[in-house]
Amino acid sequence: MGTQGALDVRGLRMRYGAVDVLHDVSFQARSGEVLALLGPNGAGKTTTIEILEGFRVRSAGQVSVLGVDPAHGNEAWRARLGVVLQSWRDHGKWRVQELLAHLGRYYAPYSTSAVRRPWDAAELVELVGLTDHAHHKIRTLSGGQRRRLDVAIGIVGRPDLLFLDEPTTGFDPAARYAFHTLVRRLATDLQTTILLTTHDLDEASKLADRILVLSAGRVVASGTTTELTRQIAAQDEVRWRLDGRQYVEVTAESTTFVRELFARHGEAVQELEVRRARLEDAYLALVAADVAAQNEADLEVTR
């Protein structure tokens, strides 16, 4: 993973009228890192993303995206960004490969190297699994196929930074697996920094190098999946049967416990099951704790 910073956000604030929707949000992302942004509806995810993309002007704070303040980004800077929205429904009469070739021409003047040239349309169609539909009109695609095209449109210019907003909505399991493989390839092979927003905690756990949790416009936690689950839901649950009896042990070191269990009892241990602490547990606990703290603070103000 590269060391160059792709995102550097410090003290970001956003106010609409008298309402603050972002409060002192700070985080960084390195080149080639996959960062997942999680939070309930209204947490400030969309506002944060729009500021980073240069579509909304912040109220306060310092923001650097690929070394540029997004409030002043020019066309060459925008060409280094890729955006995959939740839905995109234009150009239904275009054919898949024809549209991608057309869009790629807009990026060609801003290519900085052979590595960063726009994707060849045929190669990109294959990359996202639409080879059999390359010459079909877009309006004939299924929902899952259309979502793959959305991804292709977002990466046609081989972006340095890719924003993915609920990218696998409508994907079947096979398509989701293929997409996850693509995301890891973009990050690992091309050093593309990826900012992912999703409500699928399993997807975030599989894809993200780090996770940022927003609640009510505040960063309430950040770290790897393991760090977050250890922080909040630190205990694994180990179940097994021995001599006809069922046992349960709650431990923070399940691997060590299981190793010692087999060292003592060997093959007599049956029906072993280890329930790992999950990201979902940590996420729900973090958001619930923040909501409780904000409610308490509001009560203090009114007293």
Side-chain angles (χ1 to χ4, degrees):
M1 185 175 295
T3 57
Q4 181 181 0
L7 292 172
D8 190 357
V9 179
R10 301 175 187 270
L12 176 61
R13 292 180 178 271
M14 189 67 196
R15 168 171 285 195
Y16 297 120
V19 179
D20 288 321
V21 296
L22 293 177
H23 308 264
D24 197 27
V25 171
S26 299
F27 62 92
Q28 291 76 41
R30 301 182 298 275
S31 177
E33 185 174 23
V34 180
L35 179 65
L37 189 60
L38 303 183
N41 292 333
K45 301 188 301 297
T46 298
T47 299
T48 300
I49 296 298
E50 290 178 347
I51 291 171
L52 298 180
E53 293 170 343
F55 295 139
R56 193 174 298 278
V57 179
R58 63 191 182 273
S59 300
Q62 298 179 344
V63 179
S64 174
V65 177
L66 300 177
V68 174
D69 184 335
H72 306 291
N74 58 20
E75 288 188 1
W77 172 78
R78 292 187 183 281
R80 299 174 64 195
L81 306 181
V83 180
V84 177
L85 302 174
Q86 289 189 32
S87 62
W88 192 80
R89 292 287 178 259
D90 292 335
H91 304 305
K93 295 182 180 181
W94 285 71
R95 301 183 189 276
V96 171
Q97 188 167 312
E98 178 186 35
L99 176 63
L100 294 175
H102 174 74
L103 294 176
R105 297 188 187 102
Y106 289 99
Y107 290 90
Y110 304 105
S111 299
T112 56
S113 68
V115 174
R116 286 299 179 188
R117 73 185 189 284
W119 285 98
D120 174 79
E123 185 180 11
L124 183 55
V125 163
E126 180 180 0
L127 186 68
V128 299
L130 287 175
T131 302
D132 292 341
H133 306 276
H135 303 293
H136 291 191
K137 289 188 176 181
I138 293 171
R139 67 187 179 193
T140 68
L141 300 181
S142 69
Q145 292 161 356
R146 183 53 204 260
R147 199 63 184 136
R148 295 188 194 196
L149 178 60
D150 291 342
V151 173
I153 291 169
I155 66 175
V156 66
R158 294 189 194 246
D160 293 302
L161 174 60
L162 178 61
F163 296 96
L164 296 177
D165 189 7
E166 299 287 339
T168 57
T169 301
F171 277 23
D172 59 34
R176 181 174 283 104
Y177 177 82
F179 176 75
H180 290 176
T181 301
L182 171 60
V183 168
R184 294 313 313 177
R185 177 182 175 187
L186 291 172
T188 303
D189 295 349
L190 295 180
Q191 289 291 287
T192 305
T193 303
I194 297 173
L195 185 58
L196 165 73
T197 61
T198 180
H199 285 97
D200 186 336
L201 300 183
D202 182 62
E203 180 169 78
S205 181
K206 289 177 179 177
L207 286 180
D209 298 304
R210 285 189 303 119
I211 293 170
L212 191 75
V213 180
L214 280 180
S215 178
R218 297 175 175 82
V219 177
V220 296
S222 65
T224 65
T225 297
T226 299
E227 289 170 345
L228 293 182
T229 53
R230 291 300 182 196
Q231 175 184 343
I232 302 297
Q235 303 295 300
D236 296 339
E237 184 179 86
V238 182
R239 293 175 175 268
W240 74 99
R241 185 174 292 276
L242 182 66
D243 297 331
R245 295 183 59 187
Q246 182 72 42
Y247 294 88
V248 179
E249 179 73 18
V250 177
T251 174
E253 300 294 339
S254 57
T255 301
T256 300
F257 180 84
V258 169
R259 186 183 298 116
E260 294 175 350
L261 182 66
F262 275 99
R264 291 196 305 269
H265 302 289
E267 295 183 0
V269 177
Q270 298 178 333
E271 300 178 18
L272 177 68
E273 178 184 355
V274 179
R275 181 190 180 277
R276 297 285 189 182
R278 301 175 301 164
L279 176 61
E280 182 179 2
D281 299 327
Y283 170 76
L284 293 175
L286 286 164
V287 173
D290 182 68
V291 170
Q294 293 305 314
N295 289 340
E296 181 63 27
D298 291 341
L299 285 175
E300 288 295 331
V301 170
T302 59
R303 284 173 182 169

